[in-house]
Amino acid sequence: MEMIQSFTVDHTKIVPGIFTSRVDKVDGGMLTTYDIRLKKPNKEPVIDTAAMHSLEHIIATFLRNDPEWKDEIIYWGPMGCLTGFYLILKGNRSSSEIYDLILDAFKAVEKAEEVPGATPVNCGHYLMHNLGMAKWYASEFAEYLEANAGKPEIFEYPKADRLVTDDGKHFYDS
């Protein structure tokens, strides 16, 4: 099988940031998937599950209600490794072009007084939320983004070097 694009990122070198994960052509348009990475993989503790769930609810609600961006939003959801989120937008913008949107989304979490949709009718696990921790993670990430806004490493993926055999197959030493 072919290596999927997200596995070609060198997770030993990636830092928190906003990265273009992939760009897909669909129905005459483009969809761009962004990696919104809050934690350094395999180095920092992952995001608490209940806080991650709250971040998902609050930021998805913020994005889908933002007057400038709501028609561009396709998806906002957590990574399985609990180090960040995926955002899918219509079009093809660079990671740095969505910086303000992401910063505003995380600042909105800091101001949240409740988790939207955290009821048995609206959520599949409505008791698994932690607004206080979500605010803490959001504040940490917003401060990080502001402190590192001018650094290219928060917008550019480090790629994993993969050896290729003479017949074009990937060689893995694991």
Side-chain angles (χ1 to χ4, degrees), residues 12-135:
T12 66
K13 295 178 183 169
I14 195 170
V15 297
I18 303 166
F19 308 98
T20 300
S21 178
R22 60 182 290 152
V23 179
D24 295 292
K25 292 181 182 180
V26 291
D27 297 328
M30 304 287 268
L31 291 180
T32 304
T33 303
Y34 300 92
D35 170 336
I36 312 302
R37 189 72 61 148
L38 280 67
K39 297 292 178 183
K40 188 166 176 51
N42 305 307
K43 297 289 182 192
E44 293 183 81
V46 298
I47 301 166
D48 170 77
T49 308
M52 189 79 154
H53 191 199
S54 296
L55 287 167
E56 176 192 12
H57 276 237
I58 297 165
I59 293 175
T61 301
F62 171 85
L63 293 171
R64 290 186 178 109
N65 283 280
D66 182 276
E68 183 181 342
W69 289 93
K70 68 181 180 181
D71 293 333
E72 306 301 311
I73 306 300
I74 300 296
Y75 174 79
W76 171 263
M79 293 178 176
C81 63
L82 301 177
T83 61
F85 292 86
Y86 288 112
L87 170 64
I88 303 174
L89 295 176
K90 293 177 187 174
N92 182 14
R93 295 167 195 81
S94 69
S95 296
S96 59
E97 289 179 273
I98 66 163
Y99 171 87
D100 289 333
L101 174 66
I102 299 305
L103 182 60
D104 290 347
F106 279 87
K107 286 185 173 188
V109 175
E110 295 178 58
K111 298 173 190 168
E113 294 181 18
E114 65 180 11
V115 177
T119 70
V121 172
N122 305 119
C123 179
H125 197 351
Y126 79 100
L127 295 175
M128 189 184 69
H129 284 283
N130 188 330
L131 179 58
M133 284 303 299
K135 287 182 175 205

